[in-house]
Amino acid sequence: MAVKPKVFVTRILPDAGLSLIKQACDAEIWTDPLPPPYALIRQKIISCDGLVSLLTDKIDAALLDAGPRLRVVSNFAVGFNNIDIAAATQRGIAVGNTPGVLTDATADMAFCLLIAAARRVVDGHQYTQSGKWKTWEPLGHLGQDLAGRTIGIVGMGRIGYAMAKRCHGGWDMKVLYYDVFKSEKAEKDFGARQVDFETLLRESDFISIHTDLNEKTRGMFSTAQFKQMKRTAVLINSARGPLVDQKALVEALKSGTIFAAGLDVTDPEPPLMDDPLVKFPNIVIAPHIASATFGTRNAMAEICARNLIAGLNGEKLPAWVNPDVENKRRKAGVN
């Protein structure tokens, strides 16, 4: 009987993917609810051929160097900011992610947060739970109208497009977008208009962030940007927490510089319980659950497993972050 490749899986995944991994690999699975410590992952991969990681796992050059047999890192996420891609490529290690399958689920959550924050749903729910609701109030819990307003999309990729589709098709919103690339599809389908960042900030009633996190976008929403937004504006972030300067957001919400915010991601995650952000009535914070549907997580798990198995077999990954590694392997004569 052939010896199965050894892998370390940093969390329990949906069975749609985990069963595939168990069948093809000698898999050790971290079962604690919290992520394994960095030092433990580094220790585990010393004897591993593959690694399944999450966004909460830091995969840097030092960790990769600890695994001389490591051939593939399969990330259970679309994003891969937790992985040093250049270091992995340099070492001939394939990296996979799970794009495409969570587009609709994430766009649904972004719009869910938009409605909840704009119409003060959570604030109203807490008002009811506390026993304060005594009668219908003509001036109580006033929120923002949605129909016919302007949505600003920061990052018109797959998820940004899906969010624009919901806003334009369902609520007849005008669509502005800020992106380094022109989206002819969004312009044709929704009459979207590509604008500079400052114009988007000034003219949008709602701003939804769907851009990558990198050194240029880190903290792109801070005090100066909030001051350019409408006082009635609602900010939605379902992308990455560090895109928003959280201290500046606290001040903007506290001072009424903007009306409200809806977040599925924070910096750090989770936010500290003494962070004033979690106490404000004009914010909705979800625990990073944009992809949390049965169908989406199952599909992510299956892609993650197939990336892992393909990398272990020296094959092309279904979703390959660093396909250049194949050329490096060929030059080195490695399968």
Side-chain angles (χ1 to χ4, degrees), residues 6-87:
K6 189 172 181 180
V7 302
F8 182 59
V9 183
T10 67
R11 208 73 55 81
I12 299 176
L13 304 183
D15 193 56
L18 199 58
S19 61
L20 296 175
I21 294 172
K22 288 178 178 178
Q23 288 170 18
C25 308
D26 174 10
E28 181 179 357
I29 301 157
W30 181 256
T31 58
D32 285 13
L34 293 178
Y38 173 88
L40 186 138
I41 300 175
R42 188 172 176 178
Q43 177 188 353
K44 292 293 183 182
I45 68 166
I46 291 173
S47 58
C48 281
D49 303 289
L51 173 67
V52 174
S53 57
L54 273 66
L55 282 173
T56 46
D57 304 319
K58 181 182 179 182
I59 313 299
D60 59 10
L63 187 142
L64 294 171
D65 283 339
R69 291 167 42 183
L70 198 64
R71 284 179 271 163
V72 57
V73 176
S74 184
N75 216 36
F76 184 71
V78 173
F80 41 85
N81 297 100
N82 58 310
I83 302 173
D84 187 333
I85 301 299

Side-chain angles (χ1 to χ4, degrees), residues 2-267:
V3 177
K4 293 182 177 181
K6 189 172 181 180
V7 302
F8 182 59
V9 183
T10 67
R11 208 73 55 81
I12 299 176
L13 304 183
D15 193 56
L18 199 58
S19 61
L20 296 175
I21 294 172
K22 288 178 178 178
Q23 288 170 18
C25 308
D26 174 10
E28 181 179 357
I29 301 157
W30 181 256
T31 58
D32 285 13
L34 293 178
Y38 173 88
L40 186 138
I41 300 175
R42 188 172 176 178
Q43 177 188 353
K44 292 293 183 182
I45 68 166
I46 291 173
S47 58
C48 281
D49 303 289
L51 173 67
V52 174
S53 57
L54 273 66
L55 282 173
T56 46
D57 304 319
K58 181 182 179 182
I59 313 299
D60 59 10
L63 187 142
L64 294 171
D65 283 339
R69 291 167 42 183
L70 198 64
R71 284 179 271 163
V72 57
V73 176
S74 184
N75 216 36
F76 184 71
V78 173
F80 41 85
N81 297 100
N82 58 310
I83 302 173
D84 187 333
I85 301 299
T89 304
Q90 186 179 24
R91 289 157 179 78
I93 299 170
V95 178
N97 67 338
T98 62
V101 294
L102 49 68
T103 297
D104 284 325
T106 303
D108 286 345
M109 176 54 67
F111 197 80
C112 173
L113 290 169
L114 190 157
I115 292 180
R119 295 301 307 270
R120 302 178 60 180
V121 174
V122 173
D123 183 32
H125 175 67
Q126 293 173 340
Y127 187 82
T128 301
Q129 281 190 321
S130 67
K132 295 179 181 178
W133 183 18
K134 303 301 181 184
T135 185
W136 185 80
E137 304 170 47
L139 299 179
H141 313 285
L142 300 180
Q144 301 297 331
D145 291 304
L146 277 73
R149 306 299 286 276
T150 297
I151 178 73
I153 303 290
V154 179
M156 189 59 85
R158 283 188 294 252
I159 299 173
Y161 176 91
M163 178 62 168
K165 180 180 180 180
R166 285 153 174 75
C167 294
H168 179 74
W171 277 261
D172 197 29
M173 291 190 193
K174 301 182 183 74
V175 179
L176 303 179
Y177 74 98
Y178 170 68
D179 200 308
V180 294
F181 299 106
K182 185 179 184 67
S183 176
E184 293 183 359
K185 184 172 176 59
E187 293 184 8
K188 177 184 176 182
D189 293 349
F190 317 131
R193 182 161 60 97
Q194 187 178 24
V195 296
D196 59 47
F197 191 37
E198 289 70 25
T199 299
L200 183 139
L201 293 171
R202 289 195 310 270
E203 297 186 10
S204 298
D205 297 297
F206 311 106
I207 295 176
S208 192
I209 308 174
H210 302 284
T211 192
D212 295 336
L213 174 64
N214 54 55
E215 290 312 307
K216 290 184 179 179
T217 61
R218 185 179 296 273
M220 68 184 299
F221 282 87
S222 193
T223 301
Q225 288 70 42
F226 293 131
K227 287 182 177 179
Q228 293 180 70
M229 292 166 61
K230 297 180 181 181
R231 293 184 72 85
T232 54
V234 177
L235 178 72
I236 305 301
N237 186 11
S238 59
R240 292 289 177 264
L243 294 165
V244 177
D245 179 341
Q246 209 153 283
K247 289 183 179 179
L249 178 60
V250 166
E251 291 305 315
L253 293 170
K254 182 179 180 181
S255 63
T257 302
I258 64 173
F259 181 77
L263 309 177
D264 185 53
V265 289
T266 58
D267 184 26

